[in-house]
Amino acid sequence: MAKIKVGVLGATGTVGQKFIYLLEQHPFFEVSDLVASERSKGKKYQQAVVWKQDAEIPANVKDLTVKTYDEPLTAKIFFSGLDAAVAGDIETYLAEKGNVVITNSKNHRMDKDVPISIPEINSEHFEILKKQPYPGFIVTNSNCSTMFLAIALAPLHKKYKIKRLFVSTLQAISGAGYPGIPSLDILGNVVPFIGGEEEKIESELKKMLGTFDGQQIIPADFTVSAHCNRVPVIDGHTETVSIEFEQKPSVNEIKELLSSFQGEPQQMDLPFAPDYPVIVREQDDRPQPRLDANLYKGMATFVGRIRECNVFDIKMVIMGHNTIRGAAGAAVLNAEYLYKKGYFDSII
Amino acid sequence: MAKIKVGVLGATGTVGQKFIYLLEQHPFFEVSDLVASERSKGKKYQQAVVWKQDAEIPANVKDLTVKTYDEPLTAKIFFSGLDAAVAGDIETYLAEKGNVVITNSKNHRMDKDVPISIPEINSEHFEILKKQPYPGFIVTNSNCSTMFLAIALAPLHKKYKIKRLFVSTLQAISGAGYPGIPSLDILGNVVPFIGGEEEKIESELKKMLGTFDGQQIIPADFTVSAHCNRVPVIDGHTETVSIEFEQKPSVNEIKELLSSFQGEPQQMDLPFAPDYPVIVREQDDRPQPRLDANLYKGMATFVGRIRECNVFDIKMVIMGHNTIRGAAGAAVLNAEYLYKKGYFDSII
Amino acid sequence: MAKIKVGVLGATGTVGQKFIYLLEQHPFFEVSDLVASERSKGKKYQQAVVWKQDAEIPANVKDLTVKTYDEPLTAKIFFSGLDAAVAGDIETYLAEKGNVVITNSKNHRMDKDVPISIPEINSEHFEILKKQPYPGFIVTNSNCSTMFLAIALAPLHKKYKIKRLFVSTLQAISGAGYPGIPSLDILGNVVPFIGGEEEKIESELKKMLGTFDGQQIIPADFTVSAHCNRVPVIDGHTETVSIEFEQKPSVNEIKELLSSFQGEPQQMDLPFAPDYPVIVREQDDRPQPRLDANLYKGMATFVGRIRECNVFDIKMVIMGHNTIRGAAGAAVLNAEYLYKKGYFDSII
Amino acid sequence: MAKIKVGVLGATGTVGQKFIYLLEQHPFFEVSDLVASERSKGKKYQQAVVWKQDAEIPANVKDLTVKTYDEPLTAKIFFSGLDAAVAGDIETYLAEKGNVVITNSKNHRMDKDVPISIPEINSEHFEILKKQPYPGFIVTNSNCSTMFLAIALAPLHKKYKIKRLFVSTLQAISGAGYPGIPSLDILGNVVPFIGGEEEKIESELKKMLGTFDGQQIIPADFTVSAHCNRVPVIDGHTETVSIEFEQKPSVNEIKELLSSFQGEPQQMDLPFAPDYPVIVREQDDRPQPRLDANLYKGMATFVGRIRECNVFDIKMVIMGHNTIRGAAGAAVLNAEYLYKKGYFDSII
């Protein structure tokens, strides 16, 4: 069967590179369009990019010619790693032209008719795509630090209702893109601030764990307080969380619920779906970004140190690979799901 | 005026080295005894120690002969950086022999008749020294991560009463001593666990912010939930905190209260007392361990990002130098205070 | 076809873990014996080990019972990651009992009848195994920092004869094992000394690039001066090299020679043989450990910045994965070669 | 006595900040002019700068108004930390206007009538200032990595004549300024390339160790081959060196010569002159940037591991603080020397 041609928007950037890296040998998709800015237009990809992935540039991509978004493109499905400064308009433009845009950029996340999708936990939100005014459509995934919270907390919220939660993050530098954070700022240091990040966690999480009532997504009604910190880690966001529930579960109930949790992507056996979305670690000192983030192809969410909290009910540590499950890999999984569910049928 | 002779217990260890480093050219004290284990006994200090301070070994110390605690010693005042495995008994032994032991070790901290002292915030606790059964006495300072919480929160608790608080720490590797944490465990990584640390914060903080009723120290009655993490930082513990008060102060009230706060050591102009115990940072991304921890000779506590909390009342970032204000420097300040207040008069 | 049972000596250590990690799903070999010290004896592997690999413990290994070397063992082929303190005697013992020991330990490397083997460059040295006095035999691989020098320089030495060379290394912390280097020693630091390392490079390289005359291995007669440094890198040793040749090649001749170089393992298509042992990087700032070391399953040697040297003839940067090609992976490749060449026939 | 007013060119940059930090409380000099680009013009310094020093902004500087170089300035003596893109022209302009420019920038270093000055080793080169065509004059200091080589090798070259040398560097990130190196490039990594650095070492060192014949500076006639690497260290360049001499000294002769070496700044007791320019370390694993670079106010050059070299005569490790002795501190020492020797007399 012929693979579906896909394009990568922002192909020379960090997230764009990760898309290209992850899509090498994908069973459904094949990269046919590389879209970047005027500066790269007309160059071969290997000349245009400062490739920073832990792998060679895929052979079928390195000689593709980089285009701009307004040139004729061969794909109808696009993965977007565009910078927020331009993502909003370009993504809208492409959706208006009848394309699917599966984006990691923040611009459309809080739009009323755009879902922030994780097929394991809120696939019913995809229904809202019908409300979009375009012949194509736009699907987003969440901010990287929100992703792991959403995945780990969704089964808990469904069963025990979250009332309030604190989260304090220790986020990897790859989350800031390239060149991103100057080494003089972060080597042997902590920066206790990431612009806009706390607000994103506090709003996106509630939307993602909200309910679709047929017309709109009603955000979950718990309260979130986030503290965001940058630490000198390459990949893997660690999050310490304290949670208050309506009905307090036991530590063991949480372990069982999380470690057995599976969603539609697991049933559908999608290529980027990990066997279990959540891996529960029993060792005191796990999860750790350097030891765990790359396991299960970077698509698992790790939860450890599940224990009683003095102030709320339960505390725990949540960790995942911020540029795979937290960004490009999440978008690929969204695409796989949409494709298998027929959302691409009218488009390609 | 002749300086007071002091000894350093655990003189070859990390905290012991820091005592020696900080006491070089101290106006009141002069190191005359270096106490370590049998292994070092009889050696010159420079042969016995693997010196890891960011300075040469002080000239007046490097040729001193290392002794064991049960040999004849010339000092009556001792700073203890002993390992917890032996600190309890040796410190008791020395107090029984009529010595003052000012210790950074944890063993006696929760003893009923031993204060965990910070002269800026709980100098009235020193009164409990009279209850100790020894001709000498033992004074402790808190665990390093608790120290900065105690200093920053004491004025707030006094005025607005803390009800509950969350703290999630990002702690430097120097807090684990030497050899301490293997580099393979922490380089480019986060370890979301420090054995016993969360329990220490949860208990010590309440004792330190408690009240002395003439007979005993009554712990403060707020509730604390701590998450402790190790990060690849050399010196400086960063702590993100969310606080619920009985009477909620405004952000500006907190800034004013903290930045103007002074205690007895400031009035007494003690050598190790910073002009202001708390420095409030206004920049979004401060405090940071690498930029701030060493300022004010490592004796200040930095507070930044004071802002409203969605879930509790106020959140903030607290940071300080864990081996100076958080350990050896705190003990030196305790000694200065005790000396000037006459607590040594009957001893030396 | 049934796989050959193999044992891992020092199974709980860093190199031992790497063997287990690399041998998971190996087409020829299957781990059947885990050998460690008395302390681990009788425990299940997952209880005995502090697993630090970037992967889960292989399912078929985690419940194996750890044995000591003098218990009955099912394998006849052993990979050794034993500590040098015990490796010499245990490896000799096992060879005397008729086993093959393929070791990463240094103890037997300079023995007259033991080769330091890299099948791409000195497979003729295996002939010396016949001189060994045991019913089994012992094969070593070199020190990790020597390995990449040997691989990159062998084709050059063969064609242009090396007279003298300087090498200054920047070595990863994983080369020191676990717990290895304390984080306080290496975070944000350089340690310009690695005990015994310079001597190993200076002697092992000459043996590895030497010739077997039917009786003994005659070391190559060039001169080597090594400077060894530890840097805060997880995996990947970088080496800057200046070389004087008998006949000076051009930069392009070197690039062509190295990038086209292949040896017997490539012709035999061995599982752990990279397609090309040496990858030549053209970018100014490559190779880099974090970007290159893991490529080609960690089995390639990268050479970059090949250029004229003011003082000698040519200078360059050589880099490779120190615990894979530089240690455990090298041993696995030796085993694959020996197996396919029939060296195991009389043993298994 | 009134202090001499000085200006800082490039005052908001990394080197400019370091000048301001070092000149706080200088006994001879007082910062009166802060010169930066149009972007900062008219702002108070504390608003214009992103201050990254490990200290508060000096009180007497933080409210100074930033100027551009072509505005009226109160100082006649300028320290330049200008970016190379603009330094050449601005420095010439100011010298033409009758000012002294003491610069850390590279632009004029190789000019025939401009010395690269280290008063301990080549103060006779200052005589060439008379050849400059300006009413003022320009003095440079070397590239940071060359500085430590020059200081450590000058006494050796004078006595034993260097013929050839290899140097391989491990350079700190602060050498690249701010924002400088992206953290994703250097955290847990080595970059074996620094643009232009090897060429600078190879040319500047020979000029600095050259002789002034009354008309011009004749470069020393040895040959240098440099390999330059960036490592994840904040401050402190480490350099491994192998040297061939005309007359080979013994290891002990070198130790004695270097550790007793003093120059004019030491005799003149200049404020920024360390008691001994070179500190010889006897421990195997020293010098190390994190433990040594900050000692002696960052103005010493450390030499360790002095030993026989297999290929040349002697090898050693050289290390110093790249932004103090290697940059801003070197310029301040030049200014102190020039002032005390009367070079400013006709200017101020």
Side-chain angles (χ1 to χ4, degrees), chain C residues 184 187 224 226 290 310 315, chain D residues 168 184 187 224 226 290 310 315:
Chain C
L184 277 171
L187 183 63
V224 182
R290 237 203 32 250
N310 279 350
K315 50 187 176 180
Chain D
S168 184
L184 276 172
L187 183 64
V224 183
R290 242 212 19 257
N310 278 350
K315 49 187 176 180

Side-chain angles (χ1 to χ4, degrees), chain A residues 126-320:
Chain A
F126 284 123
E127 288 302 303
I128 209 167
L129 295 176
K130 295 172 186 162
K131 310 279 179 185
Q132 291 190 11
Y134 321 117
F137 60 82
I138 298 172
V139 167
T140 71
N141 51 261
S142 74
N143 175 45
C144 49
S145 55
T146 317
M147 182 73 69
F148 311 109
L149 286 174
I151 294 172
L153 299 182
L156 303 180
H157 181 56
K158 190 168 178 185
K159 185 151 182 189
Y160 305 109
K161 285 283 172 217
I162 293 171
K163 286 172 65 180
R164 302 199 286 181
L165 74 93
F166 280 100
V167 55
S168 184
T169 68
L170 303 94
Q171 297 184 226
I173 57 173
S174 59
Y178 184 84
I181 304 174
S183 53
L184 276 172
D185 282 344
I186 197 66
L187 183 63
N189 202 16
V190 163
V191 179
F193 177 70
I194 301 173
E197 191 83 356
E198 296 171 353
E199 294 79 4
K200 284 184 220 165
I201 291 177
E202 291 168 4
S203 60
E204 293 178 12
L205 183 62
K206 293 197 284 187
K207 178 169 177 178
M208 293 165 86
L209 267 51
T211 49
F212 179 65
D213 71 356
Q215 295 300 317
Q216 52 181 329
I217 296 165
I218 317 287
D221 68 348
F222 50 73
T223 320
V224 182
S225 178
H227 301 252
C228 290
N229 302 286
R230 190 73 71 186
V231 293
V233 164
I234 302 290
D235 291 315
H237 287 355
T238 305
E239 309 180 332
T240 62
V241 183
S242 279
I243 313 161
E244 185 180 44
F245 293 98
E246 298 218 344
Q247 303 140 267
K248 180 181 172 175
S250 73
V251 166
N252 277 337
E253 283 167 341
I254 291 180
K255 288 183 182 176
E256 278 163 34
L257 184 57
L258 290 180
S259 57
S260 63
F261 171 64
Q262 290 187 310
E264 279 188 83
Q266 283 71 39
Q267 290 152 17
M268 295 160 70
D269 203 19
L270 296 178
F272 267 59
D275 288 350
Y276 289 90
V278 180
I279 303 293
V280 173
R281 287 281 183 231
E282 291 289 345
Q283 302 96 310
D284 265 350
D285 62 353
R286 299 289 278 267
Q288 293 178 18
R290 237 202 32 248
L291 295 180
D292 292 308
N294 285 299
L295 303 194
Y296 306 104
K297 298 182 185 165
M299 287 298 289
T301 295
F302 294 84
V303 178
R305 302 200 68 212
I306 304 172
R307 61 207 194 281
E308 301 274 328
C309 177
N310 279 349
V311 170
F312 281 171
D313 295 324
I314 292 287
K315 50 187 176 179
M316 60 179 64
V317 175
I318 300 174
M319 200 280 305

